Amino acid sequence: MQSMNDTDLGTPRRSSRQNVTLEVDGHQVTVPQGSSVMLAAATLGNHIPSLCSTDTLEAFGSCRLCLVEIEGRRGFPASCTTPAEEGMKIRTQSDRLAHLRRGVMELYISDHPLDCLTCPANGHCELQDMAGAVGLREVRYGYEGANHLDAPIDASNPYFTFDPSKCIVCSRCVRACEETQGTFALTIDGRGFNSQVSPGQMDSFMDSECVSCGACVQACPTATLMENSIYEMGQPDRVVETTCAYCGVGCSFNVELKGNEVVRMVPNKNGHANHGHSCIKGRFAFGYTTHPDRITSPMIRGSIDEPWREVSWDEGIGHVASEFRRIQDKFGKGAIGGIASSRCTNEETFLVQKLVRAAFGNNNVDTCARVCHSPTGYGLKTTLGTSAGTQAFDSVLEADVIMVIGANPTDGHPVFASQMKRRIREGAGLIVVDPRKIDLVRTPHVKADFHLALQPGTNVAILNSLAHVAVTEGLADDAFANARCDPNEYSEWKEFISQDKYSPESVAVTSGVPSETIRQAARLYATGKNSAIYYGLGVTEHSQGSTAVIAMANLAMATGNFGREGVGVSPLRGQNNVQGSCDMGSFPHELPGYRHLSDAAARQRFEEDWSVHLDPEPGLRIPNMFDAALDGSFRGMYIQGEDFVQSDPNTQHIESAMRAMECVVVQDLFLNETARFAHIFLPGSTFLEKDGTFTNAERRIQLVRKAMPPVAGMADWEITAAISNAMGYPMNYTHPSEIMDEIARLTPTFAGVSFEKIDRLGSVQWPCNASEPDGTPTMHVGQFVRGKGHFVLTEYVATDERTTRRFPLILTTGRILTQYNVGAQTRRTENVSWHHEDVLEIHPHDAEQRGVRNGGRVSLTSRAGSVVLTAQITDRMQPGVVYTTFHYPATGTNVVTTENSDWATSCPEYKVTAVEVQPVSSLSDWQRRNREFTEHQEALFDAREREPVAERG
Ligand code: SF4
Ligand code: SF4
Ligand code: SF4
Ligand code: FES
């Protein structure tokens, strides 16, 4: 079913240097070679009747409705599968064609329930449209014969329904699942009249391989596959275009609403990051936005053991300002700080750091990127000169070899994974470097050439070894490296990397990866015409996270893989705006645009614009804030949209720090784990309730458009501005576009960015300035941003986190498809049907040794703490390594992770924790205490003093 805004050209657009000119119904039209006759006609606004074709899928030619006449040719070819040719003369309308089309429609309608008036697709059904378009007035065959009208409905999926009685077997759904999503969950079972769409081997959708991306629902021309929300609410009446607020892919969506209620989210065909595709989270998991758990009134309390009291916005904001002023007067300017959110907009994160620097007068600002991609910023800035990925997502379609390191794109970045899988199906080589057998290692029609199942913590050794093979086997691109990088550094690096300790034979011992696998993977990467690296938190969240990022950059520089499409080093960023929150100066040592505070000229520029004096000394990072809270020098914190009590490592340490503070202000959608330690709660707004921009993993800035008013009355940027005003530093913006104008004014890489331009172009990839007015899809073309590429020696140093007899296993953590980060949003949607608890994946051998049974409860214990969760025995894991997620607060996964961190950025080493696993039957001590504390906090919330509705400001 098309989105309300879409025009369907019938078959996909083609790009070709050569055009062909033809005549359709007497009108000339020129289209790129390879275009279909149907598309040529559609270009003239002539939409030939069709059912089985759509411009998002390759034509299939099964419905025979799109027949045309071609001068000089016999018969009636299907316009969807016939390529347009130079000089062709096409007729799309004639008596004969009309007769044939009516005949086709008669057959369809004779096996279709005639319940149009009560059908959820009524008025939005292509079958209905086509019956009208071909002038169908009668159906001669009767409805008594064999038909499919009693076919049972499959309502197993919580988000959409499959009603096969309405199916016309056009196979658009099957092709969408194959071509767009790449899951191959659907087939056409049976032949001829008995043909029917089937998930798997006649499974239900929920029991099949289906990942609920919804591509089939979108492709279906009838009501056979239909969103349940349309059944429940009817068809929408307005559309707002916006950007997904979940992961760093940044899918563009049309929010379809009825009044202020979202009916459905339809991926935008013109979205530059997603091209009309989406995953389950963005398309279906929006129920949290109206969940009854949303807090809709500001609240304050004197201590965390007192009930909350609802207050007006004026009182709430005023209380924040007076508390922060009180603390600063008593304990000094540096006793408070702020945390910016990677889920909020660029404009909102910009305001948080401005609030801290200009109104608090210090640089105690940080963001959750500290715990995920801060090593990316450090490593790529050091080697290449800019702290961001080098490519656009579409670049992967030009890659000949793809290396995925420490990332699980089919779960973490699903829409990009579909694009990547398409390229692999077309023949690109694939190397997966991951301790776990992630889906990409083997999934339908995709198989990794090499899976380097390394021991967690040995990334740098493996990356050095890949480079070792490239250099010692003469596969490096010396000409590129000598021309584009410092030749002396390159030569020194070659000598370093050629040492025997980085040979595959030596590294095999450290990493557990067979030497021949390393060698062959290195050859594949180094000899690919275009080789691209994609990586995730499995690279950065290590004690050598920054070193590994540098090692990847070294490898790509040495093999000439920068500066064009199909190559590069690209971080797959976790949260929707983690790139943006870094760009906006959310780190304590950097001003927006990654300019160090010690840069006097940059500082001066901000001082003049903001009329303040800026402290030239970097402020506290998040872990330092916790330490300072415990030593009593840090007493107040403004936290916008971040839940580090659940997401950051060593929970018990953080809890102690939170308890030690005098004024914790949490601004969020829900009373999350961090808010249990708060003294002031300010209700935040979802992405549907505000204007602004997000920047995705490819540096693409896209608009977030307000679809409905904020449920609590204020957008997050308005709250930050109000706090600043209350603290005496004026912030008077009337719209987020004015904040972006300020960002552009003060940030050279954003100089050409404005809401007007993003709206006009659809999106803009920074740098966007006078020399690149429309943005920069590929970085480092011709030369690196820093001038010469900088080779840095990347000595492998084993982590201090060692296995012992007491803790013989390594725990590594990650995420899964249906849940997102701390789960605050996805846990409040039907996504819990797929994943309702965190489970511990363990190899059968390790399970057997410990008497662990599948589905049994086990304790997971490290030097930091212990939790209990359910075991899942799987050979996805290698022996010696266990895996879990951290989506559920009751599990407390981060009670177990330690405070070890990256040497350069303090990014925690989530991916390597020495643990032991044992069967148990009861909760851990922490879980018991946490349950009691949660119940206590819920009681304090339930006992809150309510603000009369009329008094809410
Ligand atoms: S379910 Fe829809 S898309 Fe799939 S074959 Fe049937 S009518 Fe076509
Ligand atoms: S929802 Fe996605 S994965 Fe599931 S059958 Fe449809 S296209 Fe395939
Ligand atoms: S891939 Fe990411 S951005 Fe796209 S719909 Fe899914 S969660 Fe949203
Ligand atoms: S649209 Fe061309 S055959 Fe169906």
Side-chain angles (χ1 to χ4, degrees):
M1 201 79 23
Q2 295 292 312
S3 170
M4 291 173 71
N5 283 2
D6 283 344
T7 307
D8 196 326
L9 298 173
T11 63
R13 284 184 195 277
R14 300 289 182 222
S15 54
S16 167
R17 291 218 181 95
Q18 281 201 310
N19 287 333
V20 291
T21 299
L22 62 161
E23 203 178 284
V24 180
D25 294 335
H27 299 283
Q28 289 228 322
V29 60
T30 300
V31 289
Q33 195 165 47
S35 306
S36 70
V37 166
M38 180 180 274
L39 184 129
T43 308
L44 288 167
N46 178 352
H47 294 279
I48 299 172
S50 67
L51 277 172
C52 70
S53 70
T54 175
D55 58 10
T56 53
L57 300 169
E58 291 303 319
F60 188 59
S62 71
C63 75
R64 311 302 294 167
L65 199 63
C66 68
L67 310 182
V68 291
E69 293 174 12
I70 303 179
E71 192 174 286
R73 289 203 195 169
R74 294 226 307 261
F76 302 93
S79 60
C80 64
T81 49
T82 304
E85 289 173 16
E86 185 67 32
M88 259 182 175
K89 288 197 164 79
I90 310 288
R91 275 186 86 180
T92 68
Q93 302 294 343
S94 71
D95 289 348
R96 184 77 188 129
L97 287 171
H99 178 73
L100 287 169
R101 286 176 189 152
R102 274 197 293 270
V104 170
M105 282 306 296
E106 269 190 272
L107 284 171
Y108 278 123
I109 297 295
S110 68
D111 189 9
H112 198 82
L114 295 182
D115 60 356
C116 292
L117 285 183
T118 52
C119 176
N122 188 22
H124 302 267
C125 167
E126 292 179 46
L127 188 70
Q128 203 179 37
D129 294 347
M130 288 308 119
V134 306
L136 188 70
R137 295 288 170 266
E138 60 170 346
V139 175
R140 288 166 294 169
Y141 306 114
Y143 303 99
E144 302 80 33
N147 58 46
H148 300 88
L149 302 182
D150 292 328
I153 290 175
D154 175 355
S156 60
N157 188 296
Y159 292 123
F160 60 83
T161 296
F162 176 51
D163 179 357
S165 70
K166 296 182 194 295
C167 180
I168 58 171
V169 202
C170 64
S171 94
R172 275 162 61 164
C173 54
V174 178
R175 287 177 284 141
C177 193
E178 293 176 6
E179 293 174 27
T180 311
Q181 165 57 23
T183 290
F184 296 78
L186 300 178
T187 52
I188 300 285
D189 199 70
R191 308 184 68 156
F193 176 79
N194 293 322
S195 307
Q196 54 181 321
V197 172
S198 157
Q201 304 295 309
M202 298 301 285
D203 299 325
S204 70
F205 269 84
M206 276 305 262
D207 291 334
S208 73
E209 296 292 308
C210 170
V211 292
S212 286
C213 70
C216 56
V217 180
Q218 189 167 345
C220 183
T222 67
T224 314
L225 283 162
M226 176 64 85
E227 294 94 344
N228 291 346
S229 56
I230 299 277
Y231 276 94
E232 287 151 18
M233 302 168 71
Q235 293 288 338
D237 51 33
R238 66 185 182 99
V239 182
V240 178
E241 193 180 314
T242 195
T243 307
C244 181
Y246 278 118
C247 85
V249 175
C251 295
S252 173
F253 276 91
N254 290 325
V255 190
E256 298 191 348
L257 303 108
K258 228 184 167 88
N260 279 337
E261 279 193 85
V262 179
V263 177
R264 67 177 171 189
M265 302 277 289
V266 181
N268 179 3
K269 266 196 330 202
N270 302 319
H272 295 159
N274 58 322
H275 307 295
H277 192 31
S278 74
C279 78
I280 179 173
K281 292 190 286 288
R283 190 191 294 260
F284 294 121
F286 55 83
Y288 73 90
T289 59
T290 50
H291 195 280
D293 286 354
R294 284 281 305 269
I295 307 288
T296 56
S297 178
M299 301 187 297
I300 62 178
R301 58 182 176 178
S303 87
I304 68 168
D305 291 314
E306 285 176 22
W308 287 99
R309 180 165 70 86
E310 289 186 355
V311 294
S312 67
W313 275 107
D314 280 350
E315 185 177 349
I317 299 282
H319 190 56
V320 175
S322 66
E323 277 296 279
F324 282 170
R325 280 287 175 241
R326 177 185 67 77
I327 291 171
Q328 286 193 308
D329 288 347
K330 193 162 166 200
F331 300 101
K333 216 162 54 169
I336 61 172
I339 306 294
S341 171
S342 292
R343 290 201 274 275
C344 285
T345 63
N346 284 318
E347 295 69 24
E348 286 164 345
T349 52
F350 180 85
L351 287 200
V352 171
Q353 61 87 36
K354 182 174 178 180
L355 171 81
V356 171
R357 299 188 206 282
F360 293 1
N362 62 46
N363 292 303
N364 293 337
V365 61
D366 209 348
T367 179
C368 57
R370 165 75 48 221
V371 300
C372 66
H373 268 291
S374 49
T376 290
Y378 180 88
L380 296 184
K381 175 115 190 194
T382 303
T383 48
L384 314 177
T386 199
S387 301
T390 62
Q391 311 297 121
F393 288 138
D394 286 355
S395 159
V396 78
L397 298 174
E398 302 294 322
D400 300 299
V401 177
I402 297 166
M403 178 141 68
V404 178
I405 312 181
N408 186 4
T410 53
D411 281 41
H413 303 83
V415 165
F416 176 62
S418 293
Q419 201 175 23
M420 182 186 270
K421 286 196 289 187
R422 169 141 63 104
R423 183 62 188 152
I424 297 163
R425 290 199 303 276
E426 288 168 357
L430 173 65
I431 302 162
V432 173
V433 184
D434 201 289
R436 194 161 159 259
K437 221 180 277 166
I438 58 169
D439 283 352
L440 273 184
V441 172
R442 185 164 210 144
T443 192
H445 302 269
V446 167
K447 182 174 178 304
D449 295 272
F450 302 103
H451 175 208
L452 279 57
L454 76 178
Q455 271 288 303
T458 59
N459 285 327
V460 172
I462 285 283
L463 287 161
N464 282 353
S465 194
L466 295 172
H468 173 98
V469 176
V471 168
T472 56
E473 295 194 4
L475 305 175
D477 186 343
D478 287 343
F480 178 96
N482 280 318
R484 296 281 302 269
C485 309
D486 182 317
N488 294 330
E489 285 176 6
Y490 179 49
S491 145
E492 195 189 335
W493 174 80
K494 276 171 82 171
E495 204 174 304
F496 161 80
I497 214 75
S498 302
Q499 295 172 89
D500 191 49
K501 65 181 175 183
Y502 295 126
S503 71
E505 291 68 28
S506 303
V507 169
V509 178
T510 336
S511 67
V513 182
S515 58
E516 198 49 27
T517 309
I518 301 175
R519 198 169 283 285
Q520 294 211 26
R523 286 175 187 153
L524 180 63
Y525 176 83
T527 56
K529 186 161 150 267
N530 287 335
S531 293
I533 296 177
Y534 294 92
Y535 72 96
L537 306 182
V539 166
T540 53
E541 290 176 343
H542 287 274
S543 60
Q544 280 205 291
S546 293
T547 318
V549 174
I550 291 169
M552 290 186 298
N554 287 344
L555 176 63
M557 286 193 290
T559 50
N561 280 309
F562 278 121
R564 60 185 186 279
E565 297 240 328
V567 298
V569 174
S570 302
L572 295 175
R573 298 268 186 167
Q575 301 196 56
N576 54 321
N577 199 36
V578 68
Q579 179 69 55
S581 70
C582 297
D583 300 342
M584 292 299 109
S586 301
F587 287 131
H589 65 290
E590 276 174 346
L591 293 162
Y594 302 100
R595 283 160 300 159
H596 201 280
L597 275 169
S598 59
D599 177 346
R603 236 178 30 246
Q604 191 187 353
R605 183 79 195 78
F606 281 85
E607 287 177 334
E608 284 167 6
D609 202 273
W610 293 353
S611 308
V612 287
H613 168 73
L614 291 179
D615 185 345
E617 284 304 313
L620 298 173
R621 297 172 174 184
I622 291 174
N624 307 127
M625 291 185 201
F626 294 141
D627 292 343
L630 284 169
D631 77 22
S633 58
F634 188 79
R635 305 266 175 155
M637 204 177 206
Y638 169 57
I639 307 162
Q640 186 187 71
E642 176 61 13
D643 190 5
F644 38 57
V645 171
Q646 189 180 339
S647 64
D648 283 24
N650 199 350
T651 308
Q652 299 184 84
H653 174 73
I654 297 171
E655 287 175 343
S656 310
M658 296 303 291
R659 283 179 193 278
M661 281 187 269
E662 291 180 22
C663 181
V664 173
V665 182
V666 169
Q667 180 176 320
D668 217 304
L669 305 178
F670 306 105
L671 212 53
N672 59 20
E673 302 311 290
T674 305
R676 298 179 313 166
F677 297 91
H679 306 89
I680 302 175
F681 187 92
L682 303 173
S685 47
T686 71
F687 74 116
L688 295 172
E689 297 159 26
K690 57 196 177 190
D691 289 304
T693 57
F694 290 154
T695 306
N696 76 354
E698 37 166 15
R699 296 170 278 104
R700 188 182 299 285
I701 311 162
Q702 301 183 97
L703 286 178
V704 176
R705 293 184 181 85
K706 185 171 168 177
M708 59 184 67
V711 297
M714 283 178 94
D716 292 285
W717 62 272
E718 293 174 300
I719 300 171
T720 310
I723 294 173
S724 189
N725 285 326
M727 291 190 71
Y729 181 79
M731 280 193 196
N732 296 308
Y733 305 96
T734 59
H735 189 268
S737 63
E738 295 165 11
I739 306 173
M740 179 54 87
D741 292 342
E742 181 173 325
I743 295 165
R745 192 164 72 231
L746 292 170
T747 315
T749 43
F750 276 67
V753 180
S754 67
F755 274 38
E756 180 278 321
K757 185 182 281 184
I758 306 171
D759 191 35
R760 183 162 38 86
L761 300 180
S763 69
V764 173
Q765 284 174 276
W766 67 260
C768 173
N769 44 32
S771 57
E772 298 291 349
D774 291 345
T776 312
T778 307
M779 300 285 285
H780 314 298
V781 178
Q783 74 164 19
F784 288 104
V785 168
R786 72 183 298 283
K788 292 283 186 192
H790 179 39
F791 277 93
V792 179
L793 307 189
T794 51
E795 194 74 63
Y796 167 64
V797 181
T799 167
D800 289 341
E801 183 72 5
R802 304 284 164 88
T803 53
T804 58
R805 276 178 39 194
R806 199 165 148 230
F807 301 111
L809 302 170
I810 292 286
L811 168 73
T812 185
T813 61
R815 61 159 76 172
I816 50 132
L817 172 68
T818 52
Q819 296 291 345
Y820 172 74
N821 203 274
V822 292
Q825 293 142 284
T826 42
R827 279 188 279 111
R828 290 180 171 93
T829 70
E830 296 288 347
N831 280 24
V832 292
S833 309
W834 284 269
H835 187 89
H836 62 276
E837 62 175 339
D838 296 308
V839 297
L840 185 79
E841 294 186 15
I842 183 166
H843 188 271
H845 175 74
D846 294 327
E848 193 187 339
Q849 272 193 337
R850 291 165 176 77
V852 169
R853 55 177 186 82
N854 199 29
R857 302 286 285 169
V858 290
S859 64
L860 174 71
T861 307
S862 73
R863 296 178 181 96
S866 181
V867 297
V868 171
L869 67 178
T870 301
Q872 188 178 76
I873 300 175
T874 168
D875 62 8
R876 277 168 83 96
M877 301 312 302
Q878 53 174 294
V881 182
V882 293
Y883 172 88
T884 192
T885 50
F886 61 100
H887 300 306
Y888 282 83
T891 314
T893 302
N894 284 315
V895 170
V896 175
T897 51
T898 68
E899 280 190 295
N900 294 345
S901 63
D902 175 44
W903 62 271
T905 63
S906 307
C907 180
E909 191 176 37
Y910 288 107
K911 303 298 181 188
V912 190
T913 308
V915 292
E916 179 55 301
V917 174
Q918 292 296 337
V920 291
S921 53
S922 56
L923 295 178
S924 76
D925 290 347
W926 179 85
Q927 284 170 321
R928 250 192 307 273
R929 283 199 310 274
N930 182 57
R931 181 183 278 184
E932 279 164 22
F933 184 53
T934 302
E935 286 167 1
H936 175 55
Q937 287 299 321
E938 281 169 358
L940 294 176
F941 175 67
D942 291 343
R944 70 194 178 281
E945 195 179 314
R946 311 293 289 254
E947 175 80 355
V949 174
E951 288 179 28
R952 288 183 194 168

